[in-house]
Structures are given as C-alpha cells and as structure tokens.
C-alpha cells in the first residue's frame, strides 16, 4: 500500500525572519501611540524644566514626578489599533505587545534622557537620582499589568486604565509607607526602598499572565475540579 510522503516543513531562513521583524517593527511604530507617550513623558518632565528655568537647585521632587509619570505612560502599549487587521497573520499577540513595548520604552528613554541632560546642565542631578529607577520600573509594570488585565476581559480603554493605575498605585504605596515605613517602600532612600522591585516582580508576573496568547496555558495552575 502506497503512502504519501510526509510534507517537508521548512523553517524560515534568517533573511525571512529579519524581514518579518522589520515589518512588525514598522507596524509597531505606527500603532504604539508614540505621540501620546511623548506627551505624557513631557508632562512628567514639566516640573523639572520649570525648576531649572527658575534657577532652583533641588531636583529630587521633579525627578520623582518624572519617574512615576514616565513609568505610567508605558501602559499605553495595551491598545492595538491593528489587532483586527493582523488577526489572520501568523504573529502571536504577545509578540505584537512585545514589539509595541520596545517602541514605547525607546520613546520613554529618549524623553527621560533629554530631561536628565537638562537637569545635569542646569543645577546638576542630585546624588540619589538612580533611586528613581525602581519607582519607574514599578509604575511601568503596574501600568502594563493593569491595562492587559482590563484588555483581556474585553473591556475598552485598557490603555487609559493602565496609565491611571500606573499613577495611582505608586502614589498609594508611597502614602501608606508613611504609616509603615519599614514594610512598604517610600520615595526616600532607606532600608525598604529596594522593595519597589518586589512590586515590579509581582506586576511583571501578572502582566505575563494577562498578556499571554489565548491558546497558551496559564502561568497560574487552576485547582483540580475547576470548571472554566
């Protein structure tokens, strides 16, 4: 009995993968909301620019505002105007999110770098300015996680929810840190300041769970006997 030979599956070569990557990045540049992200980062940098223009020397407060606002702006990656157009394409939704995230982070990095250069040329950056990095990371991951969670439930305005949550949660944690300074991280450098990374890790895990492709298994196993 004759049997048909199995089909030969050829993997795309390096040139084809590079072409697909360039095409994905071009789409991401058009759909990532670069203007919106730049406007939000610019609004966050406004206190720093005003402080420098007025000849003040203390940039600690403006840098904190910039870190939290710039981090929250990353939540805009949730919106995907090209979702219906690219639905038939063999590009996973998680890869499109990753591409938009890369473009958004590059936009944020440019805006923050310009603000830091202005501050350095002006009165100079305070010695503890790298302590704003954990706060930025916490705000960014919370914004992305909240936006993806809302988007996964089919609700509109996922980016708005993500950006808003990225602002509210760090401010709430900072306010509660006045009551529990040894437990929750605040804005001042101290023994608990490194715990911003705990918030970043927790929000990052939630973002990976909410942003996974529908056909993939959950990162959090369901208990036995659970009915979907």
């Amino acid at each position: 009995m004759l049997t048909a030979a199995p089909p030969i599956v050829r993997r795309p070569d390096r040139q084809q993968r590079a072409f697909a990557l360039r095409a994905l990045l071009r789409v991401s540049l058009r759909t990532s909301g670069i203007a919106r992200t730049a406007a939000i980062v610019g609004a966050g940098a406004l206190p720093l620019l005003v402080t420098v223009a007025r000849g003040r020397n203390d940039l600690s407060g403006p840098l904190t505002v910039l870190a939290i606002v710039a981090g929250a702006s990353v939540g805009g990656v949730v919106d995907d105007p090209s979702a219906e157009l690219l639905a038939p394409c063999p590009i996973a939704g998680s890869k499109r999110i990753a591409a938009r995230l890369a473009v958004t982070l590059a936009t944020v990095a440019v805006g923050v770098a310009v603000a830091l250069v202005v501050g350095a040329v002006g009165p100079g950056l305070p010695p503890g300015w790298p302590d704003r990095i954990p706060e930025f990371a916490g705000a960014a991951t919370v914004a992305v996680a909240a936006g993806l969670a809302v988007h996964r439930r089919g609700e509109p305005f996922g980016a708005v929810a993500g950006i808003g949550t990225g602002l509210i949660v760090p401010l709430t944690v900072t306010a509660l840190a006045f009551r529990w300074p040894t437990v929750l991280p605040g804005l001042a450098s101290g023994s608990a300041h490194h715990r911003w990374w705990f918030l970043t890790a927790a929000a990052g895990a939630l973002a990976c769970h909410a942003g996974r492709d529908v056909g993939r298994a959950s990162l959090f196993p369901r208990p036995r006997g659970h009915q979907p």
Side-chain angles (χ1 to χ4, degrees):
M1 181 176 179
L2 298 178
T3 58
I8 299 176
V9 179
R10 295 182 178 179
R11 295 182 178 180
D13 57 18
R14 182 178 301 178
Q15 184 177 2
Q16 291 174 330
R17 289 195 296 267
F19 176 79
L21 179 60
R22 288 195 299 268
L24 180 58
L25 289 177
R26 284 196 297 267
V27 173
S28 301
L29 286 172
R30 294 193 295 267
T31 61
S32 297
I34 294 178
R36 175 187 57 197
T37 302
I40 296 175
V41 175
L46 190 59
L48 185 147
L49 299 179
V50 172
T51 301
V52 173
R54 296 183 62 185
R56 301 294 179 87
N57 295 325
D58 188 7
L59 297 181
S60 299
L63 284 175
T64 301
V65 173
L66 174 61
I68 295 177
V69 174
S73 70
V74 181
V77 302
V78 175
D79 285 348
D80 186 6
S82 63
E84 295 183 0
L85 178 63
L86 297 179
C89 299
I91 301 176
S94 58
K95 292 183 179 180
R96 297 202 300 269
I97 294 174
R100 295 198 305 276
L101 182 61
V103 173
T104 301
L105 287 176
T107 304
V108 172
V110 171
V112 172
V114 171
L116 292 178
V117 168
V118 172
V121 173
L125 300 177
W129 71 267
D131 291 337
R132 308 286 76 85
I133 296 177
E135 298 156 10
F136 166 82
T141 51
V142 165
V144 174
L148 288 175
V150 170
H151 180 73
R152 191 172 187 83
R153 294 177 62 88
E155 302 290 341
F157 309 113
V160 175
I163 293 171
T165 306
L167 292 173
I168 293 173
V169 170
L171 295 178
T172 302
V173 171
T174 300
L176 294 176
F178 286 99
R179 177 64 179 83
W180 296 286
T182 60
V183 177
L184 296 176
L187 299 179
S189 301
S191 59
H193 191 265
H194 69 280
R195 294 181 181 174
W196 282 108
W197 293 115
F198 295 165
L199 176 64
T200 301
L206 179 59
C208 293
H209 170 72
R212 75 189 192 282
D213 297 327
V214 178
R216 291 189 177 181
S218 172
L219 296 177
F220 305 107
R222 297 176 178 176
R224 294 183 178 181
H226 176 82
Q227 296 295 332

mmCIF file of all heavy atoms in Angstrom, residues 18-62:
data_model
loop_
_atom_site.group_PDB
_atom_site.id
_atom_site.type_symbol
_atom_site.label_atom_id
_atom_site.label_comp_id
_atom_site.label_asym_id
_atom_site.label_seq_id
_atom_site.Cartn_x
_atom_site.Cartn_y
_atom_site.Cartn_z
ATOM 1 N N ALA A 18 14.278 38.252 9.429
ATOM 2 C CA ALA A 18 14.622 39.666 9.531
ATOM 3 C C ALA A 18 13.571 40.537 8.853
ATOM 4 O O ALA A 18 13.205 41.598 9.356
ATOM 5 C CB ALA A 18 16.004 39.921 8.914
ATOM 6 N N PHE A 19 13.063 40.074 7.700
ATOM 7 C CA PHE A 19 12.015 40.828 7.003
ATOM 8 C C PHE A 19 10.750 40.903 7.851
ATOM 9 O O PHE A 19 10.118 41.964 7.961
ATOM 10 C CB PHE A 19 11.711 40.163 5.658
ATOM 11 C CG PHE A 19 10.575 40.814 4.912
ATOM 12 C CD1 PHE A 19 10.775 41.983 4.205
ATOM 13 C CD2 PHE A 19 9.308 40.254 4.937
ATOM 14 C CE1 PHE A 19 9.725 42.584 3.518
ATOM 15 C CE2 PHE A 19 8.258 40.848 4.260
ATOM 16 C CZ PHE A 19 8.467 42.020 3.546
ATOM 17 N N ALA A 20 10.373 39.765 8.471
ATOM 18 C CA ALA A 20 9.178 39.761 9.318
ATOM 19 C C ALA A 20 9.360 40.666 10.526
ATOM 20 O O ALA A 20 8.425 41.369 10.936
ATOM 21 C CB ALA A 20 8.861 38.336 9.760
ATOM 22 N N LEU A 21 10.567 40.676 11.092
ATOM 23 C CA LEU A 21 10.825 41.529 12.249
ATOM 24 C C LEU A 21 10.745 43.004 11.871
ATOM 25 O O LEU A 21 10.157 43.814 12.607
ATOM 26 C CB LEU A 21 12.198 41.203 12.827
ATOM 27 C CG LEU A 21 12.643 42.038 14.038
ATOM 28 C CD1 LEU A 21 11.661 41.871 15.188
ATOM 29 C CD2 LEU A 21 14.052 41.652 14.474
ATOM 30 N N ARG A 22 11.312 43.360 10.712
ATOM 31 C CA ARG A 22 11.242 44.754 10.274
ATOM 32 C C ARG A 22 9.797 45.171 10.014
ATOM 33 O O ARG A 22 9.391 46.288 10.355
ATOM 34 C CB ARG A 22 12.098 44.950 9.021
ATOM 35 C CG ARG A 22 13.596 44.911 9.265
ATOM 36 C CD ARG A 22 14.354 45.475 8.070
ATOM 37 N NE ARG A 22 14.085 44.693 6.864
ATOM 38 C CZ ARG A 22 14.825 43.670 6.456
ATOM 39 N NH1 ARG A 22 15.873 43.291 7.182
ATOM 40 N NH2 ARG A 22 14.538 43.018 5.347
ATOM 41 N N ALA A 23 9.022 44.277 9.400
ATOM 42 C CA ALA A 23 7.613 44.594 9.146
ATOM 43 C C ALA A 23 6.847 44.791 10.451
ATOM 44 O O ALA A 23 6.024 45.702 10.577
ATOM 45 C CB ALA A 23 6.971 43.481 8.314
ATOM 46 N N LEU A 24 7.125 43.937 11.435
ATOM 47 C CA LEU A 24 6.451 44.062 12.728
ATOM 48 C C LEU A 24 6.831 45.364 13.414
ATOM 49 O O LEU A 24 5.977 46.040 14.014
ATOM 50 C CB LEU A 24 6.811 42.868 13.610
ATOM 51 C CG LEU A 24 6.186 42.837 15.016
ATOM 52 C CD1 LEU A 24 4.663 42.869 14.924
ATOM 53 C CD2 LEU A 24 6.651 41.615 15.779
ATOM 54 N N LEU A 25 8.095 45.750 13.340
ATOM 55 C CA LEU A 25 8.526 46.995 13.963
ATOM 56 C C LEU A 25 7.916 48.201 13.270
ATOM 57 O O LEU A 25 7.555 49.194 13.921
ATOM 58 C CB LEU A 25 10.056 47.087 13.956
ATOM 59 C CG LEU A 25 10.787 46.141 14.903
ATOM 60 C CD1 LEU A 25 12.291 46.286 14.748
ATOM 61 C CD2 LEU A 25 10.374 46.399 16.349
ATOM 62 N N ARG A 26 7.769 48.142 11.946
ATOM 63 C CA ARG A 26 7.143 49.259 11.229
ATOM 64 C C ARG A 26 5.694 49.422 11.654
ATOM 65 O O ARG A 26 5.214 50.538 11.868
ATOM 66 C CB ARG A 26 7.248 49.031 9.712
ATOM 67 C CG ARG A 26 8.623 49.301 9.130
ATOM 68 C CD ARG A 26 8.546 49.444 7.620
ATOM 69 N NE ARG A 26 8.103 48.203 6.991
ATOM 70 C CZ ARG A 26 8.921 47.254 6.533
ATOM 71 N NH1 ARG A 26 10.230 47.417 6.651
ATOM 72 N NH2 ARG A 26 8.442 46.168 5.959
ATOM 73 N N VAL A 27 4.984 48.302 11.773
ATOM 74 C CA VAL A 27 3.602 48.377 12.245
ATOM 75 C C VAL A 27 3.557 48.902 13.670
ATOM 76 O O VAL A 27 2.691 49.728 14.025
ATOM 77 C CB VAL A 27 2.935 46.990 12.142
ATOM 78 C CG1 VAL A 27 1.561 47.014 12.799
ATOM 79 C CG2 VAL A 27 2.816 46.552 10.691
ATOM 80 N N SER A 28 4.487 48.464 14.501
ATOM 81 C CA SER A 28 4.507 48.895 15.895
ATOM 82 C C SER A 28 4.788 50.388 16.004
ATOM 83 O O SER A 28 4.239 51.069 16.887
ATOM 84 C CB SER A 28 5.558 48.103 16.679
ATOM 85 O OG SER A 28 5.279 46.717 16.629
ATOM 86 N N LEU A 29 5.630 50.911 15.128
ATOM 87 C CA LEU A 29 5.902 52.351 15.148
ATOM 88 C C LEU A 29 4.644 53.159 14.860
ATOM 89 O O LEU A 29 4.466 54.268 15.389
ATOM 90 C CB LEU A 29 6.985 52.696 14.128
ATOM 91 C CG LEU A 29 8.415 52.300 14.498
ATOM 92 C CD1 LEU A 29 9.350 52.516 13.311
ATOM 93 C CD2 LEU A 29 8.894 53.112 15.694
ATOM 94 N N ARG A 30 3.764 52.611 14.027
ATOM 95 C CA ARG A 30 2.543 53.341 13.674
ATOM 96 C C ARG A 30 1.429 53.139 14.688
ATOM 97 O O ARG A 30 0.498 53.946 14.738
ATOM 98 C CB ARG A 30 2.056 52.909 12.289
ATOM 99 C CG ARG A 30 2.994 53.290 11.154
ATOM 100 C CD ARG A 30 2.311 53.119 9.811
ATOM 101 N NE ARG A 30 1.993 51.721 9.551
ATOM 102 C CZ ARG A 30 2.785 50.887 8.882
ATOM 103 N NH1 ARG A 30 3.958 51.307 8.434
ATOM 104 N NH2 ARG A 30 2.429 49.629 8.674
ATOM 105 N N THR A 31 1.476 52.088 15.468
ATOM 106 C CA THR A 31 0.348 51.751 16.349
ATOM 107 C C THR A 31 0.677 51.863 17.828
ATOM 108 O O THR A 31 -0.187 51.552 18.657
ATOM 109 C CB THR A 31 -0.130 50.318 16.061
ATOM 110 O OG1 THR A 31 0.939 49.389 16.313
ATOM 111 C CG2 THR A 31 -0.589 50.178 14.618
ATOM 112 N N SER A 32 1.877 52.277 18.189
ATOM 113 C CA SER A 32 2.263 52.309 19.601
ATOM 114 C C SER A 32 1.876 53.599 20.298
ATOM 115 O O SER A 32 2.107 53.721 21.510
ATOM 116 C CB SER A 32 3.783 52.094 19.742
ATOM 117 O OG SER A 32 4.143 50.819 19.268
ATOM 118 N N GLY A 33 1.318 54.566 19.584
ATOM 119 C CA GLY A 33 0.948 55.820 20.222
ATOM 120 C C GLY A 33 2.156 56.602 20.706
ATOM 121 O O GLY A 33 2.205 57.052 21.857
ATOM 122 N N ILE A 34 3.145 56.771 19.819
ATOM 123 C CA ILE A 34 4.378 57.457 20.206
ATOM 124 C C ILE A 34 4.095 58.890 20.641
ATOM 125 O O ILE A 34 4.655 59.378 21.628
ATOM 126 C CB ILE A 34 5.391 57.419 19.052
ATOM 127 C CG1 ILE A 34 5.837 55.981 18.793
ATOM 128 C CG2 ILE A 34 6.597 58.292 19.353
ATOM 129 C CD1 ILE A 34 6.804 55.841 17.633
ATOM 130 N N ALA A 35 3.200 59.579 19.918
ATOM 131 C CA ALA A 35 2.890 60.968 20.270
ATOM 132 C C ALA A 35 2.258 61.050 21.655
ATOM 133 O O ALA A 35 2.589 61.939 22.451
ATOM 134 C CB ALA A 35 1.958 61.568 19.220
ATOM 135 N N ARG A 36 1.350 60.122 21.959
ATOM 136 C CA ARG A 36 0.723 60.127 23.282
ATOM 137 C C ARG A 36 1.754 59.873 24.373
ATOM 138 O O ARG A 36 1.771 60.568 25.409
ATOM 139 C CB ARG A 36 -0.358 59.057 23.335
ATOM 140 C CG ARG A 36 -0.999 58.873 24.708
ATOM 141 C CD ARG A 36 -1.938 57.685 24.697
ATOM 142 N NE ARG A 36 -1.238 56.462 24.289
ATOM 143 C CZ ARG A 36 -1.869 55.364 23.891
ATOM 144 N NH1 ARG A 36 -3.187 55.328 23.829
ATOM 145 N NH2 ARG A 36 -1.172 54.292 23.547
ATOM 146 N N THR A 37 2.626 58.891 24.153
ATOM 147 C CA THR A 37 3.648 58.587 25.151
ATOM 148 C C THR A 37 4.581 59.764 25.352
ATOM 149 O O THR A 37 4.922 60.121 26.497
ATOM 150 C CB THR A 37 4.447 57.350 24.719
ATOM 151 O OG1 THR A 37 3.556 56.237 24.550
ATOM 152 C CG2 THR A 37 5.503 56.997 25.746
ATOM 153 N N ALA A 38 5.009 60.395 24.260
ATOM 154 C CA ALA A 38 5.905 61.545 24.368
ATOM 155 C C ALA A 38 5.228 62.699 25.104
ATOM 156 O O ALA A 38 5.873 63.405 25.898
ATOM 157 C CB ALA A 38 6.348 61.987 22.974
ATOM 158 N N ALA A 39 3.923 62.888 24.859
ATOM 159 C CA ALA A 39 3.206 63.968 25.543
ATOM 160 C C ALA A 39 3.124 63.713 27.044
ATOM 161 O O ALA A 39 3.291 64.628 27.863
ATOM 162 C CB ALA A 39 1.806 64.102 24.957
ATOM 163 N N ILE A 40 2.876 62.454 27.438
ATOM 164 C CA ILE A 40 2.793 62.136 28.867
ATOM 165 C C ILE A 40 4.155 62.302 29.531
ATOM 166 O O ILE A 40 4.260 62.869 30.633
ATOM 167 C CB ILE A 40 2.253 60.711 29.061
ATOM 168 C CG1 ILE A 40 0.819 60.608 28.543
ATOM 169 C CG2 ILE A 40 2.297 60.308 30.528
ATOM 170 C CD1 ILE A 40 0.253 59.206 28.576
ATOM 171 N N VAL A 41 5.204 61.820 28.878
ATOM 172 C CA VAL A 41 6.551 61.992 29.437
ATOM 173 C C VAL A 41 6.900 63.469 29.527
ATOM 174 O O VAL A 41 7.504 63.931 30.506
ATOM 175 C CB VAL A 41 7.586 61.225 28.593
ATOM 176 C CG1 VAL A 41 8.997 61.498 29.085
ATOM 177 C CG2 VAL A 41 7.303 59.730 28.638
ATOM 178 N N GLY A 42 6.509 64.242 28.504
ATOM 179 C CA GLY A 42 6.751 65.678 28.554
ATOM 180 C C GLY A 42 6.033 66.351 29.713
ATOM 181 O O GLY A 42 6.574 67.243 30.368
ATOM 182 N N ALA A 43 4.795 65.900 29.982
ATOM 183 C CA ALA A 43 4.070 66.444 31.130
ATOM 184 C C ALA A 43 4.768 66.088 32.434
ATOM 185 O O ALA A 43 4.838 66.897 33.368
ATOM 186 C CB ALA A 43 2.638 65.918 31.135
ATOM 187 N N GLY A 44 5.313 64.861 32.504
ATOM 188 C CA GLY A 44 6.046 64.472 33.706
ATOM 189 C C GLY A 44 7.348 65.234 33.873
ATOM 190 O O GLY A 44 7.807 65.445 35.003
ATOM 191 N N ALA A 45 7.958 65.654 32.762
ATOM 192 C CA ALA A 45 9.210 66.411 32.826
ATOM 193 C C ALA A 45 8.995 67.893 33.053
ATOM 194 O O ALA A 45 9.958 68.622 33.330
ATOM 195 C CB ALA A 45 10.008 66.201 31.534
ATOM 196 N N LEU A 46 7.763 68.353 32.966
ATOM 197 C CA LEU A 46 7.490 69.786 33.089
ATOM 198 C C LEU A 46 7.939 70.356 34.435
ATOM 199 O O LEU A 46 8.551 71.434 34.461
ATOM 200 C CB LEU A 46 6.001 70.044 32.848
ATOM 201 C CG LEU A 46 5.580 71.507 32.696
ATOM 202 C CD1 LEU A 46 6.311 72.144 31.526
ATOM 203 C CD2 LEU A 46 4.071 71.609 32.496
ATOM 204 N N PRO A 47 7.656 69.698 35.585
ATOM 205 C CA PRO A 47 8.167 70.264 36.848
ATOM 206 C C PRO A 47 9.680 70.414 36.868
ATOM 207 O O PRO A 47 10.204 71.400 37.412
ATOM 208 C CB PRO A 47 7.692 69.250 37.896
ATOM 209 C CG PRO A 47 6.493 68.608 37.286
ATOM 210 C CD PRO A 47 6.801 68.522 35.823
ATOM 211 N N LEU A 48 10.399 69.459 36.275
ATOM 212 C CA LEU A 48 11.855 69.567 36.242
ATOM 213 C C LEU A 48 12.285 70.754 35.385
ATOM 214 O O LEU A 48 13.184 71.518 35.775
ATOM 215 C CB LEU A 48 12.455 68.262 35.707
ATOM 216 C CG LEU A 48 13.976 68.138 35.713
ATOM 217 C CD1 LEU A 48 14.387 66.695 35.964
ATOM 218 C CD2 LEU A 48 14.578 68.593 34.367
ATOM 219 N N LEU A 49 11.647 70.913 34.237
ATOM 220 C CA LEU A 49 12.021 72.026 33.359
ATOM 221 C C LEU A 49 11.714 73.370 34.003
ATOM 222 O O LEU A 49 12.501 74.320 33.888
ATOM 223 C CB LEU A 49 11.270 71.895 32.029
ATOM 224 C CG LEU A 49 11.544 70.619 31.225
ATOM 225 C CD1 LEU A 49 10.714 70.608 29.946
ATOM 226 C CD2 LEU A 49 13.022 70.485 30.903
ATOM 227 N N VAL A 50 10.590 73.468 34.692
ATOM 228 C CA VAL A 50 10.243 74.718 35.374
ATOM 229 C C VAL A 50 11.229 75.007 36.499
ATOM 230 O O VAL A 50 11.659 76.154 36.702
ATOM 231 C CB VAL A 50 8.799 74.645 35.915
ATOM 232 C CG1 VAL A 50 8.486 75.846 36.797
ATOM 233 C CG2 VAL A 50 7.807 74.573 34.765
ATOM 234 N N THR A 51 11.622 73.952 37.229
ATOM 235 C CA THR A 51 12.586 74.129 38.318
ATOM 236 C C THR A 51 13.922 74.635 37.788
ATOM 237 O O THR A 51 14.548 75.534 38.372
ATOM 238 C CB THR A 51 12.786 72.803 39.062
ATOM 239 O OG1 THR A 51 11.529 72.362 39.579
ATOM 240 C CG2 THR A 51 13.759 72.973 40.212
ATOM 241 N N VAL A 52 14.370 74.052 36.674
ATOM 242 C CA VAL A 52 15.631 74.505 36.079
ATOM 243 C C VAL A 52 15.506 75.932 35.569
ATOM 244 O O VAL A 52 16.415 76.761 35.747
ATOM 245 C CB VAL A 52 16.051 73.547 34.948
ATOM 246 C CG1 VAL A 52 17.263 74.091 34.211
ATOM 247 C CG2 VAL A 52 16.353 72.170 35.505
ATOM 248 N N ALA A 53 14.375 76.256 34.928
ATOM 249 C CA ALA A 53 14.188 77.599 34.385
ATOM 250 C C ALA A 53 14.157 78.652 35.488
ATOM 251 O O ALA A 53 14.594 79.793 35.275
ATOM 252 C CB ALA A 53 12.897 77.650 33.567
ATOM 253 N N ARG A 54 13.659 78.289 36.654
ATOM 254 C CA ARG A 54 13.591 79.248 37.762
ATOM 255 C C ARG A 54 14.882 79.312 38.560
ATOM 256 O O ARG A 54 14.983 80.090 39.524
ATOM 257 C CB ARG A 54 12.439 78.864 38.692
ATOM 258 C CG ARG A 54 11.070 78.953 38.039
ATOM 259 C CD ARG A 54 9.975 78.640 39.026
ATOM 260 N NE ARG A 54 9.949 79.601 40.123
ATOM 261 C CZ ARG A 54 9.133 79.512 41.187
ATOM 262 N NH1 ARG A 54 8.285 78.489 41.262
ATOM 263 N NH2 ARG A 54 9.161 80.426 42.139
ATOM 264 N N GLY A 55 15.856 78.525 38.189
ATOM 265 C CA GLY A 55 17.149 78.577 38.850
ATOM 266 C C GLY A 55 17.194 77.873 40.186
ATOM 267 O O GLY A 55 18.109 78.114 40.984
ATOM 268 N N ARG A 56 16.244 76.985 40.448
ATOM 269 C CA ARG A 56 16.261 76.235 41.703
ATOM 270 C C ARG A 56 17.271 75.095 41.600
ATOM 271 O O ARG A 56 17.611 74.629 40.513
ATOM 272 C CB ARG A 56 14.869 75.689 42.014
ATOM 273 C CG ARG A 56 13.808 76.780 42.124
ATOM 274 C CD ARG A 56 14.058 77.688 43.317
ATOM 275 N NE ARG A 56 13.078 78.732 43.434
ATOM 276 C CZ ARG A 56 11.920 78.616 44.073
ATOM 277 N NH1 ARG A 56 11.584 77.451 44.625
ATOM 278 N NH2 ARG A 56 11.101 79.645 44.163
ATOM 279 N N ASN A 57 17.709 74.615 42.752
ATOM 280 C CA ASN A 57 18.752 73.594 42.776
ATOM 281 C C ASN A 57 18.256 72.197 43.124
ATOM 282 O O ASN A 57 18.907 71.212 42.777
ATOM 283 C CB ASN A 57 19.847 73.991 43.778
ATOM 284 C CG ASN A 57 20.578 75.256 43.354
ATOM 285 O OD1 ASN A 57 20.778 75.501 42.165
ATOM 286 N ND2 ASN A 57 20.960 76.069 44.337
ATOM 287 N N ASP A 58 17.139 72.087 43.836
ATOM 288 C CA ASP A 58 16.667 70.783 44.301
ATOM 289 C C ASP A 58 15.791 70.151 43.230
ATOM 290 O O ASP A 58 14.672 70.611 42.969
ATOM 291 C CB ASP A 58 15.883 70.943 45.601
ATOM 292 C CG ASP A 58 15.547 69.594 46.226
ATOM 293 O OD1 ASP A 58 16.038 68.573 45.708
ATOM 294 O OD2 ASP A 58 14.795 69.565 47.219
ATOM 295 N N LEU A 59 16.284 69.076 42.627
ATOM 296 C CA LEU A 59 15.533 68.369 41.588
ATOM 297 C C LEU A 59 14.980 67.034 42.072
ATOM 298 O O LEU A 59 14.481 66.253 41.256
ATOM 299 C CB LEU A 59 16.439 68.124 40.372
ATOM 300 C CG LEU A 59 16.964 69.355 39.640
ATOM 301 C CD1 LEU A 59 17.824 68.932 38.457
ATOM 302 C CD2 LEU A 59 15.825 70.251 39.176
ATOM 303 N N SER A 60 15.035 66.766 43.362
ATOM 304 C CA SER A 60 14.587 65.468 43.866
ATOM 305 C C SER A 60 13.105 65.255 43.608
ATOM 306 O O SER A 60 12.696 64.198 43.096
ATOM 307 C CB SER A 60 14.883 65.364 45.368
ATOM 308 O OG SER A 60 16.268 65.476 45.616
ATOM 309 N N GLY A 61 12.282 66.233 43.961
ATOM 310 C CA GLY A 61 10.842 66.117 43.738
ATOM 311 C C GLY A 61 10.477 66.005 42.269
ATOM 312 O O GLY A 61 9.729 65.097 41.875
ATOM 313 N N PRO A 62 10.988 66.899 41.416
ATOM 314 C CA PRO A 62 10.687 66.774 39.984
ATOM 315 C C PRO A 62 11.142 65.456 39.369
ATOM 316 O O PRO A 62 10.464 64.921 38.486
ATOM 317 C CB PRO A 62 11.438 67.965 39.370
ATOM 318 C CG PRO A 62 11.495 68.970 40.457
ATOM 319 C CD PRO A 62 11.647 68.183 41.714
#
